[in-house]
Amino acid sequence: MRAFRLTAYDAPPSMVQMDVPAPKPDELRLQVAACGLNFADLLMMRGTYQERVQPPYTPGMEFAGTVDAVGASVTGFRKGDRVAAFAGQGGLAEYALCKAESCVKMPDAMPFTDAAAFLVAYGTSHLALAHRAHLRPGETLVVLGAAGGVGLTAVEIGARMGARVIAVARGANKLAVAQQAGAEICLDSGADPFDLRAELKALGGAHVIYDAIGEPLATPAMRALHPEGRFLTIGFAGGKPPAFPANILLVKNLSVIGLYWGGYLRFAPQIMAESISTLFDWYENGHLRPHISTVLPLEDALDGLQMLRERRSTGKIVITI
């Protein structure tokens, strides 16, 4: 089979020919149809992600395909099932192994490209907004990095949950995508000058901040929160985690809430399963539509990773195999 293999951190992966692997007793082997790219893939390839995978390995943490072989102890799946998987690695190949517990059966009408763009982005935003921040109808949600892979799903889910959504992104094209996803107000972080705190204060402040960027937007956004506001820290695509003044958190009774979606697979898998079930229901009822800006074949996966690195995409980039 063909696979992209990373042999050292910070070195570009290259296409190789390798044997099709055999599944362990608790694993499924998928014939991969599509692999969604995530910012976390870039961090993992640099060795800076919270879960380190030692090279050599095949990148691609989320993917979708058809069950090709079933491990001896696996129940609930059979050859031919269409599944989406969050495996942490392996998706940029023609075949991939994954723990059965990290796989879910797809809705019948869901294309593989949608499934490969679905679990991480929608799962992150739904658990963050519904389970961690307890977003309520009528509250104001501010999404930083609102046109990115997870940010755009936060806009879509926030609007679905009845919030007033303010999208913050760079440039008119990205803001137009966020508006189509349900943002009521759009703010261009590329404007000069741009005072995010003043802009949000003029709009009445915020109840929840969803931050996948970090600084320089995080601190001014936090300062625009209402008393008892909630700040969701999702990631640091801007490269610098925020360092909030604790006295402001104290005086305004603010909460800073972390969300690492993948961790729920280990310590609270039932919460993750219930969230995914809700999201699939919303998808089947037409309430969610993944925004996939770019679809590339496996041989062009490096181009897709570079687009992600340079933030030239909106929504998700998907690699088809």
Side-chain angles (χ1 to χ4, degrees):
M1 71 174 190
R2 295 180 303 155
F4 267 105
R5 296 289 284 177
L6 185 84
T7 57
Y9 291 136
D10 279 331
S14 58
M15 187 85 80
V16 301
Q17 291 282 341
M18 57 188 296
D19 292 339
V20 176
K24 295 177 181 177
D26 61 345
E27 291 180 333
L28 299 175
R29 184 174 68 209
L30 303 190
Q31 183 175 2
V32 182
C35 177
L37 299 185
N38 291 276
F39 189 77
D41 288 312
L42 299 178
L43 298 178
M44 192 176 291
M45 289 164 60
R46 295 203 302 263
T48 58
Y49 193 54
Q50 50 257 41
E51 294 187 6
R52 289 172 65 92
V53 179
Q54 294 294 330
Y57 77 93
T58 299
M61 61 171 46
E62 76 171 322
F63 47 91
T66 305
V67 174
D68 176 69
V70 179
S73 65
V74 173
T75 60
F77 293 94
R78 61 183 180 180
K79 188 173 182 178
D81 284 344
R82 301 169 71 250
V83 302
F86 173 70
Q89 60 175 294
L92 290 177
E94 292 178 320
Y95 293 87
L97 299 179
C98 45
K99 299 286 189 183
E101 63 189 17
S102 68
C103 298
V104 292
K105 293 179 183 178
M106 299 161 41
D108 292 339
M110 178 180 271
F112 285 120
T113 47
D114 279 7
F118 198 86
L119 290 184
V120 172
Y122 281 103
T124 294
S125 292
H126 185 255
L127 272 188
L129 295 174
H131 178 67
R132 297 289 282 142
H134 302 290
L135 181 67
R136 295 183 289 268
E139 289 191 315
T140 295
L141 166 67
V142 175
V143 180
L144 308 182
V150 293
L152 198 60
T153 63
V155 171
E156 195 175 2
I157 289 172
R160 172 82 180 104
M161 294 176 67
R164 172 193 184 225
V165 181
I166 300 175
V168 182
R170 183 178 294 270
N173 291 339
K174 290 186 176 182
L175 290 175
V177 171
Q179 186 175 38
Q180 291 171 2
E184 184 175 327
I185 299 167
C186 296
L187 301 178
D188 188 350
S189 60
D192 187 16
F194 181 66
D195 186 336
L196 179 57
R197 180 189 182 191
E199 294 267 12
L200 294 178
K201 287 281 192 180
L203 292 167
H207 298 93
V208 177
I209 305 291
Y210 180 103
D211 175 31
I213 301 298
E215 300 296 7
L217 297 179
T219 296
M222 180 274 294
R223 289 176 177 269
L225 278 169
H226 291 298
E228 293 196 334
R230 291 91 78 198
F231 189 102
L232 284 163
T233 178
I234 306 299
F236 316 113
K240 185 179 180 182
F244 295 134
N247 62 313
I248 296 178
L249 304 179
L250 182 153
V251 170
K252 296 183 70 176
N253 292 290
L254 303 180
S255 298
V256 178
I257 304 169
L259 189 284
Y260 170 43
W261 180 76
Y264 280 82
L265 189 61
R266 291 191 302 275
F267 71 84
Q270 186 57 37
I271 292 175
M272 178 183 277
E274 291 169 359
S275 171
I276 292 172
S277 177
T278 296
L279 292 168
F280 277 164
D281 284 344
W282 287 356
Y283 177 91
E284 290 187 284
N285 289 321
H287 300 307
L288 301 178
R289 281 293 172 262
H291 178 83
I292 301 170
S293 62
T294 305
V295 177
L296 296 170
L298 181 61
E299 53 267 25
D300 292 336
L302 287 180
D303 293 338
L305 291 166
Q306 188 63 23
M307 291 179 65
L308 189 64
R309 186 177 291 111
E310 297 174 355
R311 300 187 201 173
R312 290 188 280 122
S313 61
T314 55
K316 294 282 283 191
I317 298 171
V318 173
I319 306 300
T320 56
I321 293 87

